[in-house]
């Protein structure tokens, strides 16, 4: 199948989320972990490249995204999507604007849109301000994120220091009037040399209008929900053959020991999910300060000592005060790295012990785990919660089921729901 839409995601869970929503239409979607080595082969109509550049230095993120763009272009892609988090997760030092601008340069296009809205998950944009549920972003728990504390809710103000060209807004009033009105608004902004346009969306219907109005832009940027309508639109246009829609059901992984959760996210939702799962599972808490003093051995030994069948959860998930204490003691980057290294080592140990069903909570955490497992490509399976599919990957000669959950996603019972969904076919 020739590649049509090339997507670049700034973290692993975001990529899995995007791949899952594109796959909801039945479209064939490949998720690649990192830019594949060698020229494109066995491409699907929709290719998603997962990078781990959300908090990388700007030059590194830009360079990596350009390489990904080139690979997708070599594979024949004509349209591109730059996917980032529905909570924007990008401070004044962030990469979202610089990467978009670099991709626009490489593609020779002079306008793109920014729309991280994900109404199904309570992320909405109104008058350029991002809301998490009923709270403005900067009043939501995202204000305390360990790596990207979001202290402004206004996407234009967040973008301005990140880019060199003018930033503008297509607000809900033009979106609500429909495709033609939105296209007219974008054209008017373009005539005023506005290159970076934040677009309001509070509902799936808004996203449908935006996707329809912008589907022929060389580059769109935003959250996964904006991309969801694209497969059906491309087929309607005749740009993609109807055969591009074909559900591929990946082989169920080998049965093995009980399910295992590795959680490195400290988001409010993950904290609730960990608390909800602990009564049903054997739990081990990872403490960054302890890890810095005595390494990963005690966690690894704990895992080896437990009965194989019992559900397990190993978590660094902690409340903002505990996170701050660890960061004050160790530095933010080192505290995060210690946790990520421990989760990565635990994932490899779990695989080698025979575990085949693994849920990872946290975007950075998922990146660290998939890297350690040597996973380079995943087939997208059933959706567990909006934006979080199961996926199937080869690691160490085995097929394992992996669910990579970004911090804020899923309901409180997510972990139990995930494993319940993984029924043998
Ligand atoms: P999310 O998807 O919620 O943003 P991430 O895994 O992307 O989750 O980011 C959480 C970051 O916080 C990771 O770098 C992780 O290692 C770090 N972290 C996790 N637990 C702690 C803790 N107890 N103290 C300090 N940092 C932590």
């Amino acid at each position: 199948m020739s590649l049509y839409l090339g997507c670049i995601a700034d973290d692993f869970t975001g990529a899995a989320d995007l791949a899952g929503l594109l796959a909801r239409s039945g479209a064939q979607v490949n998720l690649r972990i990192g830019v594949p080595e060698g020229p494109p082969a066995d491409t699907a109509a929709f290719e998603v490249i997962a990078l781990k550049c959300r908090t990388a230095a700007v030059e590194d993120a830009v360079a990596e995204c350009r390489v990904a763009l080139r690979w997708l272009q070599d594979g024949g892609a004509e349209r591109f999507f730059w996917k980032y988090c529905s909570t924007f997760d990008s401070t004044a030092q962030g990469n979202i604007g610089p990467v978009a601008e670099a991709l626009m340069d490489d593609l020779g296009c002079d306008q793109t849109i920014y729309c991280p809205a994900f109404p199904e998950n309570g992320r909405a944009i109104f008058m350029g301000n991002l809301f998490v549920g009923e709270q403005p972003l900067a009043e939501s728990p995202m204000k305390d994120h360990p790596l990207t504390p979001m202290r402004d809710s206004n996407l234009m103000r967040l973008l301005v220091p990140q880019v060199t060209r003018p930033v503008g807004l297509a607000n809900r009033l033009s979106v609500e009037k429909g495709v033609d009105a939105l296209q007219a608004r974008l054209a008017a902004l373009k005539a005023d040399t506005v290159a970076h346009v934040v677009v309001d969306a509070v509902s799936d219907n808004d996203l449908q209008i935006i996707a329809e109005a912008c589907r022929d832009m060389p580059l769109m940027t935003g959250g996964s929900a904006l991309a969801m309508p694209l497969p059906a639109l491309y087929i309607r246009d005749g740009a993609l053959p109807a055969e591009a829609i074909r559900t591929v059901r990946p082989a169920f992984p080998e049965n093995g020991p009980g399910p295992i959760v590795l959680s490195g996210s400290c988001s409010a939702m993950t904290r609730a999910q960990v608390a909800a799962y602990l009564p049903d599972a054997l739990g081990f808490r990872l403490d960054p300060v302890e890890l810095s003093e005595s390494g990963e051995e005690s966690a690894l030994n704990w895992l080896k000592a437990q009965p194989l069948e019992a559900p397990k959860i190993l978590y660094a998930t902690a409340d903002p005060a505990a996170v701050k204490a660890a960061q004050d003691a160790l530095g933010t980057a080192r505290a995060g790295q210690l946790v990520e290294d421990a989760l990565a080592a635990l994932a490899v140990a779990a695989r080698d012990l025979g575990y085949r069903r693994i849920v990872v909570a946290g975007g950075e955490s998922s990146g660290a785990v998939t890297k350690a497992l040597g996973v380079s490509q995943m087939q997208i399976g059933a959706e567990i919660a909006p934006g979080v599919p199961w996926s199937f990957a080869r690691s160490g000669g085995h097929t394992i089921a992996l669910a990579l959950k970004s911090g804020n996603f899923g309901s409180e019972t997510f972990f139990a729901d995930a494993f319940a969904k993984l029924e043998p076919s």
Side-chain angles (χ1 to χ4, degrees):
M1 174 63 60
S2 62
L3 167 52
Y4 191 74
L5 182 72
C7 307
I8 303 171
D10 68 351
D11 85 341
F12 292 85
T13 49
D17 158 19
L18 174 61
L21 291 194
L22 288 167
R24 233 190 228 182
S25 63
Q28 293 172 49
V29 185
N30 271 343
L31 172 58
R32 315 266 182 170
I33 314 259
V35 182
E37 281 171 21
D42 300 327
T43 49
F46 297 86
E47 289 280 339
V48 181
I49 296 184
L51 300 179
K52 189 177 187 304
C53 64
R54 180 169 297 167
T55 54
V58 168
E59 316 78 74
D60 297 342
V62 165
E64 220 185 333
C65 290
R66 285 191 138 135
V67 174
L69 179 75
R70 173 55 60 85
W71 189 90
L72 293 163
Q73 283 178 308
D74 288 349
E78 297 168 4
R79 305 272 179 278
F80 301 88
F81 196 94
W82 165 224
K83 152 75 176 78
Y84 39 84
C85 191
S86 63
T87 44
F88 209 66
D89 291 25
S90 197
T91 61
Q93 294 77 42
N95 297 321
I96 291 177
V99 166
E101 210 156 60
L103 299 181
M104 287 166 78
D105 287 345
D106 288 0
L107 292 168
C109 70
D110 46 17
Q111 191 179 62
T112 190
I113 60 160
Y114 295 78
C115 186
F118 196 154
E120 226 179 313
N121 278 345
R123 315 289 192 270
I125 309 164
F126 185 66
M127 297 300 159
N129 292 281
L130 183 58
F131 290 81
V132 177
E134 294 182 349
Q135 291 174 312
L137 177 66
E139 292 169 33
S140 78
M142 283 304 296
K143 69 183 188 307
D144 298 316
H145 188 277
L147 304 176
T148 49
M150 299 308 294
R151 302 283 158 84
D152 195 341
S153 309
N154 186 283
L155 297 179
M156 282 91 75
R157 274 201 304 266
L158 287 164
L159 269 175
V160 165
Q162 295 191 359
V163 294
T164 62
R165 276 167 263 163
V167 175
L169 173 67
N171 74 26
R172 180 98 205 296
L173 303 177
S174 11
V175 174
E176 211 225 339
K177 287 196 194 100
V179 175
D180 294 345
L182 178 56
Q183 285 178 336
R185 173 69 184 146
L186 290 168
L189 287 164
K190 197 187 259 192
D192 278 346
T193 73
V194 175
H196 305 281
V197 185
V198 173
V199 186
D200 278 354
V202 302
S203 66
D204 283 336
N205 190 47
D206 291 346
L207 290 175
Q208 179 72 33
I209 290 167
I210 298 165
E212 197 161 342
C214 300
R215 68 190 191 279
D216 286 327
M217 279 185 164
L219 177 70
M220 291 167 72
T221 91
S224 52
L226 173 61
M228 191 165 59
L230 292 174
L233 288 168
Y234 294 150
I235 286 171
R236 193 193 71 184
D237 290 346
L240 264 185
E243 305 88 79
I245 303 290
R246 177 167 59 80
T247 307
V248 183
R249 207 188 150 91
F252 183 76
E254 303 158 39
N255 284 322
I260 186 159
V261 176
L262 300 172
S263 179
S265 161
C266 297
S267 74
M269 183 45 82
T270 304
R271 296 204 305 275
Q273 289 163 341
V274 170
Y277 195 57
L278 271 171
D280 299 331
L282 302 173
F284 186 95
R285 196 172 75 82
L286 296 160
D287 173 24
V289 175
E290 256 171 59
L291 287 169
S292 77
E293 287 163 359
S294 40
E296 295 145 3
E297 280 313 301
S298 56
L300 291 167
N301 289 337
W302 180 86
L303 181 62
K304 285 178 198 144
Q306 304 311 307
L308 284 172
E309 317 72 46
K312 292 171 195 75
I313 177 165
L314 294 104
Y315 59 101
T317 307
D319 60 32
V323 171
K324 185 168 182 312
Q327 291 178 335
D328 287 349
L330 301 165
T332 302
R334 182 157 148 72
Q337 196 61 51
L338 282 161
V339 169
E340 288 175 34
D341 290 349
L343 294 172
L346 285 163
V348 172
R351 179 200 64 196
D352 293 344
L353 288 166
Y355 291 87
R356 299 287 176 259
R357 289 167 284 164
I358 305 177
V359 171
V360 188
E364 297 292 325
S365 309
S366 296
V369 165
T370 43
K371 193 169 176 199
L373 290 174
V375 169
S376 62
Q377 191 175 340
M378 300 164 103
Q379 279 185 289
I380 304 305
E383 198 172 26
I384 304 159
V388 200
W390 272 111
S391 58
F392 302 91
R394 298 289 293 170
S395 173
H398 304 281
T399 299
I400 52 173
L402 271 176
L404 308 176
K405 187 195 81 78
S406 133
N408 295 302
F409 281 18
S411 69
E412 283 195 17
T413 55
F414 177 86
F415 298 136
D417 296 348
F419 297 121
K421 205 144 213 153
L422 203 59
E423 284 163 21
S425 55

